[in-house]
Structure formats: C-alpha cells, structure tokens
C-alpha cells in the first residue's frame, strides 16, 4: 500500500487515487480494513476517512437525501445507507423504520434506492498535524492504530479518571467533558418548518413570523419559546433526545440530550443601525441558564449569533423569567431588545445540541479489547493510557469497547485537510 502523495491535493483527486487508506468501523463490523506500517517513518500524513464513526465532524463517502415533506437535507454515510437498503429489502427493517429525524416523514425504499443512485459526496481527508505527546490534549482528534487505523477523539488523558453516571454519560474526573471543540448536532431548523415550533410566550404577539419563515420583532420584545416535539412518538411534546440525523435505519434507545444552544442571524432595516441585547434562557438539569450578549446590528446585513453550550457558559444575567417559561419540553427561549421604535429581523433560527459521550453497555464488546486490561468504570488512566471515543456515539467502536489505548497506538493529532 502506498502512502498518499505529499503536497496540496484536492479531496476529489484523493478519491480517484489508487492509494486507498481506510478508517472507521460500523456497528462492530469493520467495513474496510486499515493498514499497518513497519516504522513510524513510513506513516503517511494524509488519510481518507471511511465509515460513520466520527459523524458529523468527519465524513467518509456519503450521500445527501432531501426529505420529501420538510425539505431538510439529510447527510448519510454511504455504508449506513447501504445497510438500511439491505435491511428494508430483506424485511429486517419494517417499511416505516426509516423516518426523517426532523419531521417524522417516512422515507421509502424507493427514496433510499434513489439516494444510493445519486452522486457520492467525496470523503473527508485528514492530515496529521502533530505527533508529540504534549499535543495529545483532551478534545483533540487523533488517529489510532488498533487492528486498523481509526479517527477518534481523545476524551481522557493519563492521570484522569473516567466514570459514568446513571444515564451512561462518560465523565472525566467526575465532570462531563467541557472542551470547546465538542461537536454540535441540529435539533430543529425553523426554515424547514411550515408550522414553526417557536411560539410567542402566553398572551403576547411580540414576534411575527413572515411568509419567508423569518421573524420580526420590535423594541423590547417578549419571549419567543421553542416547543419540542418527538417525531418518533406521534409528535407529542417531549424532551430533546440524542438523535443522530445521519444514522438512518439504526435502531437504538434514545436518551435525553444536553448542552442545547441556538443560532440565528439578526439584521436591522435600512437606516436602523443599532445595538441589540440578546437574552437566551436554556433549560438544563441543574437549572435554567441565562445568557446575555450585545450585538451591533447593521442595515440589511445578517449578523450571525450563536449561544454557548450552557454547561460551560454559566449564567450571565439575573433577568426575571416568567414562571414555567422554560421547561424540559420548552427548553429554549429567546428575547431581544433594541432601541425605541426599532425593528429587528431574525432568520435561520436553529436549535442544536452538544454531543454527549455515553457508554450504556455492561461489558466491553469488541474482539479487539485488551483482555489484560478490561474496562471497568471508574477507570483511572495510567501513565501510558488514553481513552478515545468517536463523535457518532451510537456507532463508533472505541475505548468503550477496546479499553484504553497506549501512546504507541496514537499516530498523531489530525485536522481536516483543505
Ligand atoms: Zn422531514
């Protein structure tokens, strides 16, 4: 096997090159073999991703389906889509098993077949950017060599203790991971809803939704509140769950999500340049987190606004909140205030959740597990021991199955190659 050529090469060229280097696993089944190298000197710098284990951060070959009902685009790893097709064809999956994560519309076998016939999106290419042990920081993406080559994320480093709480969430030294690079997954995209899940607070008409699905409000607006619905349970009101949009046809239990945030764009009408105060209130298990930020608005220029993960943001405002405005079923509220007689235009409103690393298994499951060092929570990591996970938590095979990895198994830190 030949390492990928050095220098700047486009992703498409890599896809055509003969130097196939594959990463990733799917549901315990290795979908493409990795490769081994005799000495570190021979280790190539660039790798092409395959498989869904780091979705949505890194993608192997994938395809994009558009929901026939709400229009949202669903990016699905090609191997996942192929397995879904086989499941439907063989009757392992009932015809209604594949549903749009956003609106619940059933995706038919014909649609899946059509999706498989469309052009494949080329896989991401990653590049090793650092090989020194001091660069192996919590949250970094790394390449692991363990019966194949795998892209993973470092969750725990030597000296730390990995444990799990009653919901299976992995904790580092007793705390949920708080590094800034935690990936985000969309929960609601308002522009893809004919009927919005965002409603004015009771007895208020402070916000008006426009025909283009943007919103307008005037100075010192009232609260706009997100009402979550579970598309897999008859669209009943419910908590946000840890769904993975691209895991089409993957059957599993869903758990309550955490770390909600929202993003949107703000603009002022012509002649209306001004500053606006943006407040968001987000429900968490340990209470409602209020965030406040000041945004300078420009006429007809959309300024992107993003709230922080409440787990790391902390509460920044003592604003009075109406009772029961923010609950597990209505977990996000938004309020914006600007100068007198001002109008504010808000568009591209979406709710996101932070990936939560979770281990719900009773025993390690992979054949590649180290029998001499079985995983047992809480596990203190020794001087040469690291705990790695994949961002696609339900499908990734990683330290939850292997046990810890050693320094020698880490080929280096990686970044997406441009
Ligand atoms: Zn849909």
């Amino acid at each position: 096997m030949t390492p990928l050529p050095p220098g700047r090469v486009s992703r498409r060229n890599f896809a055509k090159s003969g130097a196939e280097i594959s990463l990733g696993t799917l549901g315990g089944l290795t979908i493409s073999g990795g490769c081994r190298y005799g000495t570190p000197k021979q280790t190539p710098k660039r790798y092409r991703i395959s498989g869904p284990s780091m979705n949505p951060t890194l993608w192997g070959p994938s395809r994009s389906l558009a929901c026939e009902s709400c229009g949202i685009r669903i990016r699905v790893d090609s191997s996942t889509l192929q397995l879904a097709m086989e499941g439907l064809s063989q009757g392992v999956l009932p015809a209604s098993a594949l549903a749009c994560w956003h609106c619940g519309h059933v995706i038919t076998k014909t649609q899946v077949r059509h999706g498989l016939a469309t052009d494949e999106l080329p896989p991401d290419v990653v590049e090793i950017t650092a090989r020194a042990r001091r660069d192996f920081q919590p949250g970094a993406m790394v390449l692991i060599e363990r019966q194949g080559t795998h892209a993973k994320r470092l969750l725990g480093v030597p000296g730390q203790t990995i444990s799990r709480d009653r919901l299976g969430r992995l904790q580092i030294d007793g705390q949920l991971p708080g590094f800034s690079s935690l990936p985000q997954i969309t929960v609601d995209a308002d522009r893809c809803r004919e009927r919005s899940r965002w409603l004015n607070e009771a007895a208020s008409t402070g916000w008006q939704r426009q025909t283009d699905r943007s919103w307008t409000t005037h100075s010192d607006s009232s609260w706009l509140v997100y009402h979550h619905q579970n598309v897999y349970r008859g669209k009943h009101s419910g908590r946000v769950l840890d769904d993975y949009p691209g895991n089409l046809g993957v059957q599993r239990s869903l758990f309550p999500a955490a770390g909600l945030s929202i993003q949107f764009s703000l603009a002022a009408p012509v002649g209306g340049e001004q500053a606006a105060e943006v407040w968001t209130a987000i429900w968490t298990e340990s209470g409602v987190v209020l965030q406040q930020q000041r945004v300078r608005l420009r006429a007809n220029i959309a300024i992107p606004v993003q709230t922080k993960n409440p787990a790391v943001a902390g509460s920044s405002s003592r604003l009075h909140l109406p009772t029961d405005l923010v609950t597990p079923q209505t977990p996000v509220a938004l309020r914006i205030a600007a100068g007198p007689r001002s109008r504010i235009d808000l568009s591209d409103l979406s709710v996101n959740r932070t990936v939560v690393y979770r281990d719900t298994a009773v025993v390690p499951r992979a054949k590649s597990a180290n029998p001499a060092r079985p995983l047992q929570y809480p596990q203190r990591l020794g001087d040469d021991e690291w705990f790695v996970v994949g961002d696609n938590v339900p499908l990734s095979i990683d330290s939850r199955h292997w046990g810890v990895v050693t320094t020698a198994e880490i080929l280096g830190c990686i970044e997406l190659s441009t």
Side-chain angles (χ1 to χ4, degrees):
M1 196 168 292
T2 317
L4 290 170
R8 195 179 177 86
V9 185
S10 78
R11 290 184 198 175
R12 190 161 289 280
N13 284 343
F14 271 126
K16 287 177 184 164
S17 83
E20 176 68 40
I21 296 174
S22 303
L23 306 170
T25 57
L26 174 63
L29 169 75
T30 301
I31 56 168
S32 45
C35 50
R36 289 182 173 280
Y37 295 89
T39 69
K41 254 199 303 196
Q42 286 174 279
T43 308
K45 244 188 134 189
R46 288 167 179 249
Y47 292 77
R48 189 184 317 140
I49 297 293
S50 94
S53 75
M54 277 297 280
N55 296 171
T57 311
L58 298 174
W59 287 87
S62 61
R63 289 180 162 95
S64 175
L65 307 183
C67 172
E68 285 182 336
S69 178
C70 73
I72 203 159
R73 296 208 75 87
I74 310 172
R75 190 173 181 182
V76 187
D77 182 86
S78 292
S79 57
T80 303
L81 198 60
Q82 186 63 46
L83 283 179
M85 185 68 202
E86 288 165 16
L88 287 176
S89 299
Q90 295 163 7
V92 179
L93 290 175
S96 61
L98 271 54
C100 167
W101 65 277
H102 193 244
C103 72
H105 180 76
V106 171
I107 297 170
T108 62
K109 194 160 79 174
T110 308
Q111 266 184 283
V112 175
R113 189 180 295 121
H114 182 258
L116 282 167
T118 58
D119 278 348
E120 198 166 56
L121 301 172
D124 285 335
V125 170
V126 293
E127 185 168 352
I128 293 184
T129 53
R131 296 179 194 271
R133 181 181 165 130
R134 65 174 179 278
D135 297 312
F136 301 164
Q137 296 295 321
M141 288 194 295
V142 290
L143 274 192
I144 301 294
E145 193 175 78
R146 162 84 62 117
Q147 295 188 1
T149 314
H150 313 272
K152 300 292 170 197
R153 195 179 289 280
L154 279 180
L155 191 70
V157 302
Q160 292 184 320
T161 298
I162 305 288
S163 58
R164 58 179 178 180
D165 66 11
R166 63 187 169 81
L167 292 172
R169 294 177 298 193
L170 296 177
Q171 299 185 318
I172 307 163
D173 291 338
Q175 302 222 311
L176 293 171
F179 33 81
S180 58
S181 52
L182 284 170
Q184 301 282 312
I185 292 180
T186 307
V187 169
D188 180 78
D190 195 51
R191 68 178 182 282
C192 288
R193 293 204 188 280
E194 200 172 311
R195 181 182 294 178
S196 179
R197 288 176 172 179
W198 289 86
L199 301 173
N200 275 293
E201 66 175 299
S204 167
T205 54
W207 289 86
Q208 291 92 41
R209 197 172 193 234
Q210 309 301 311
T211 50
D212 67 356
R213 301 180 183 179
S214 67
W215 292 83
T216 58
T217 187
H218 291 80
S219 63
D220 202 15
S221 80
S222 51
W223 289 96
L224 188 64
V225 185
Y226 174 69
H227 293 248
H228 189 66
Q229 295 173 7
N230 187 330
V231 298
Y232 304 120
R233 291 182 190 154
K235 298 188 183 173
H236 289 307
S237 172
R239 283 191 66 172
V240 176
L241 301 175
D242 64 343
D243 198 8
Y244 279 75
N247 286 359
L248 218 54
V250 177
Q251 308 292 300
R252 70 177 182 101
S253 301
L254 296 170
F255 292 86
L260 297 182
S261 62
I262 54 173
Q263 63 185 64
F264 48 87
S265 293
L266 290 181
V270 174
E273 285 195 21
Q274 60 194 289
E277 294 287 342
V278 176
W279 287 279
T280 50
I282 297 184
W283 186 89
T284 74
E285 281 176 11
S286 47
V288 175
V289 172
L290 283 164
Q291 292 181 46
Q292 181 179 1
Q293 53 184 307
R294 176 175 283 254
V295 180
R296 178 145 291 279
L297 300 184
R298 312 259 307 274
N300 287 339
I301 295 178
I303 308 287
V305 181
Q306 164 112 47
T307 66
K308 292 180 187 152
N309 177 356
V312 293
S315 248
S316 65
S317 167
R318 293 177 181 277
L319 198 69
H320 173 71
L321 268 186
T323 310
D324 291 337
L325 183 81
V326 179
T327 69
Q329 292 77 33
T330 57
V332 185
L334 167 70
R335 180 172 180 263
I336 298 177
R341 294 183 299 281
S342 304
R343 193 187 89 197
I344 292 170
D345 299 326
L346 182 149
S347 57
D348 284 332
L349 178 57
S350 69
V351 180
N352 306 306
R353 72 173 182 88
T354 306
V355 162
V356 172
Y357 301 100
R358 207 182 285 276
D359 189 352
T360 52
V362 180
V363 288
R365 292 153 292 192
K367 286 180 184 162
S368 45
N370 179 359
R373 187 78 161 97
L375 182 62
Q376 199 166 28
Y377 299 109
Q379 176 135 2
R380 185 177 155 78
L381 300 173
D383 282 348
D384 190 37
E385 295 181 333
W386 310 74
F387 196 96
V388 296
V389 288
D391 288 348
N392 192 339
V393 178
L395 290 188
S396 170
I397 302 295
D398 45 47
S399 281
R400 296 171 297 167
H401 315 78
W402 299 330
V404 298
V405 300
T406 61
T407 312
E409 290 175 292
I410 304 176
L411 298 179
C413 295
I414 50 170
E415 284 177 14
L416 195 60
S417 187
T418 52

